[in-house]
Amino acid sequence: MLKGHQTWVFETKPTIIASAAVGGPYEAQGLLASDFDLLHGDIRLGQDSFEKAEQKLQEQACEIAIKKANMKKEDVQFLLSGDLINQIFPSSFSARTLSVPFLGLYGACSTSMEGLSLASLLVDSKFAKNALVCVSSHNAASEKQFRYPTEYGSQKPPTAQWTVTGSGAALVADQGEGPKVTASTIGRVIDMGLSDPFNMGAAMAPAAVDTLEAHFRDLDRDPSYYDLIATGDLGRVGHRIAGDLLKKHGLNIPEGIFTDCGILIYKEDQPVVMAGGSGCGCAAVTTFGHFLNRMRKGELRKILVIATGALLSPMSYQQKESIPSIAHAVCIEI
C-alpha cells in the first residue's frame, strides 16, 4: 500500500527468514568481524581477478543464507542482486551459478535497501512466496573502475572512504520466523553540484536527509519510534553533514540512536580507512549481518536503514561532473 508520496507499507509484513554476510581480510580486522558468517584472508579469494573474487563473495553469501533457511537453491523464486561494476557483472554471473529467475539492480551503494524494498514488495503483493536479495562490492575492483587502481598507491584526502570488500544476502518470505520488513521509502535523485569523487559522504548526505524527511512525513512518524536509525555509508564526514542538515530542517534525531554503517564497520585507527567504509557491501553486511543479529538477540526491535548511493561513473569523474545521489529507507521490526 502506498502511504503518502513515496512510502510503501507492507501489510503482510514479509519476513527475513535468513541472512548472511561474507567479508575480506580488511573487514576481518574491523569492529564487526564477529558478525560475518565467513571472512577471507585473501582479497582475491583464490580467483584470477578482483571481479571474479566479487562474484565468489556473492555466491557464498547466497549459499549461506539459503542454507540457514533450510532451503535449496531450487526453492528460491527470485534473485534481486546488484554491485558497482560495469553491467553488474558479479551479480549476473552469480545469478548464472544459482540459476533462478534474476532481476539485476543498480542503485550504487543504496542497492541493498533497493533490493530489500523490491523483494518485500514482490512477497507482499503475492507475486512471490520468497525472494533472495544479494549485494556486493570489492575494494580493488571498485577503486580500479571509479578512481585509481589500488596498485597505483595514490594519496587520498581525509574525506575519502574505504570501499568494503564484502557481500550481504537476505532471504525474504511470506511466512517464517525472523524480523519483518514493514515499510520502505523510495528516494529521489538529489544533486547538489558536488563533484569530488573522494568526498562521497558530502555528495550523498542531502539524499539521505531528503529520504528521511519523506519517511517521517509519509508515515506521520517521529524518530523516537525507532531503536536505531542508520545511514548506509556516509562515513564520518557525510554523517555529520546529514545530522546538521536534519537539525536545520527541524528534525532532531537523538545521537544515541543515529549512526552510520560506514562508521561502524571499521576501527577508527585502521590504516587508509580515512572517513569510514563505503560501497554496496557496506550497508549490506552491516544490516544483513550486525543489525539483524542484534534484532534476533532481542537487542533491537525497530530499526530504519537508509542506504545511500552516489551515482558516479568513470566518465563523470574524468569530466568532473557533479555527482547525483539517491537513498532508500527500509523499516525492519520484530
Side-chain angles (χ1 to χ4, degrees):
M1 177 181 71
L2 179 66
K3 187 75 177 291
H5 184 62
Q6 59 196 91
T7 299
W8 297 333
V9 175
F10 303 118
E11 296 181 353
T12 64
K13 299 180 180 180
T15 305
I16 302 174
I17 59 173
S19 63
V22 178
Y26 216 60
E27 291 64 39
Q29 301 172 32
L31 294 169
L32 305 184
S34 62
D35 286 300
F36 284 85
D37 296 280
L38 179 62
L39 287 163
H40 291 275
D42 171 20
I43 197 168
R44 289 182 179 270
L45 278 71
Q47 307 300 307
D48 56 13
S49 75
F50 298 129
E51 290 79 9
K52 287 184 178 180
E54 185 171 348
Q55 175 191 340
K56 191 70 175 178
L57 286 170
Q58 279 208 21
E59 291 173 352
Q60 291 175 335
C62 289
E63 288 168 2
I64 293 170
I66 293 169
K67 184 177 180 180
K68 282 185 176 181
N70 294 316
M71 293 170 59
K72 299 178 180 178
K73 67 177 184 179
E74 293 81 7
D75 300 323
V76 177
Q77 294 187 327
F78 294 96
L79 169 67
L80 296 88
S81 183
D83 55 78
L84 295 175
I85 306 304
N86 283 342
Q87 296 180 310
I88 56 171
F89 146 68
S91 298
S92 300
F93 278 62
S94 61
R96 180 185 65 180
T97 301
L98 283 172
S99 190
V100 299
F102 169 57
L103 293 167
L105 307 175
Y106 185 84
C109 306
S110 69
T111 305
S112 58
M113 293 307 109
E114 178 185 4
L116 188 58
S117 299
L118 292 170
S120 301
L121 183 66
L122 284 173
V123 172
D124 184 64
S125 60
K126 302 188 187 307
F127 284 106
K129 291 184 178 295
N130 67 66
L132 178 62
V133 181
C134 187
V135 176
S136 68
S137 56
H138 190 290
N139 181 275
S142 298
E143 289 295 314
K144 181 172 67 175
Q145 176 164 325
F146 292 103
R147 298 181 184 92
Y148 299 105
T150 304
E151 299 88 338
Y152 183 72
S154 63
Q155 182 68 41
K156 294 184 179 180
T159 55
Q161 293 165 249
W162 182 263
T163 303
V164 168
T165 298
S167 178
L171 191 53
V172 181
D174 60 355
Q175 56 185 334
E177 298 296 323
K180 313 289 184 180
V181 182
T182 58
S184 175
T185 300
I186 305 303
R188 304 183 298 166
V189 175
I190 304 293
D191 188 346
M192 301 301 291
L194 283 81
S195 59
D196 183 359
F198 295 105
N199 193 357
M200 293 290 94
M204 295 187 292
V209 170
D210 186 76
T211 301
L212 270 170
E213 290 180 318
H215 180 81
F216 292 120
R217 180 186 65 242
D218 287 353
L219 295 180
D220 191 22
R221 187 173 288 178
D222 187 85
S224 62
Y225 180 86
Y226 295 102
D227 302 319
L228 180 75
I229 298 173
T231 48
D233 62 338
L234 298 182
R236 278 176 280 277
V237 174
H239 190 66
R240 186 164 60 247
I241 293 171
D244 290 343
L245 285 173
L246 287 167
K247 289 178 183 178
K248 184 177 180 180
H249 295 181
L251 187 60
N252 294 312
I253 301 178
E255 289 187 8
I257 67 169
F258 192 40
T259 188
D260 180 77
C261 299
I263 296 173
L264 293 176
I265 193 165
Y266 298 118
K267 298 173 183 175
E268 194 167 349
D269 61 352
Q270 273 184 262
V272 306
V273 165
M274 304 296 188
S278 66
C280 289
C282 185
V285 300
T286 305
T287 302
F288 300 153
H290 178 63
F291 293 155
L292 291 185
N293 286 346
R294 291 189 64 190
M295 294 190 82
R296 294 184 183 105
K297 294 175 183 176
E299 298 174 2
L300 297 170
R301 298 194 61 81
K302 299 176 181 178
I303 70 171
L304 181 67
V305 181
I306 312 98
T308 42
L311 304 174
L312 175 70
S313 74
M315 187 58 68
S316 65
Y317 166 55
Q318 292 170 14
Q319 297 181 352
K320 300 188 182 302
E321 294 181 358
S322 60
I323 303 168
S325 300
I326 194 166
H328 303 300
V330 175
C331 173
I332 305 173
E333 305 183 47
I334 292 180

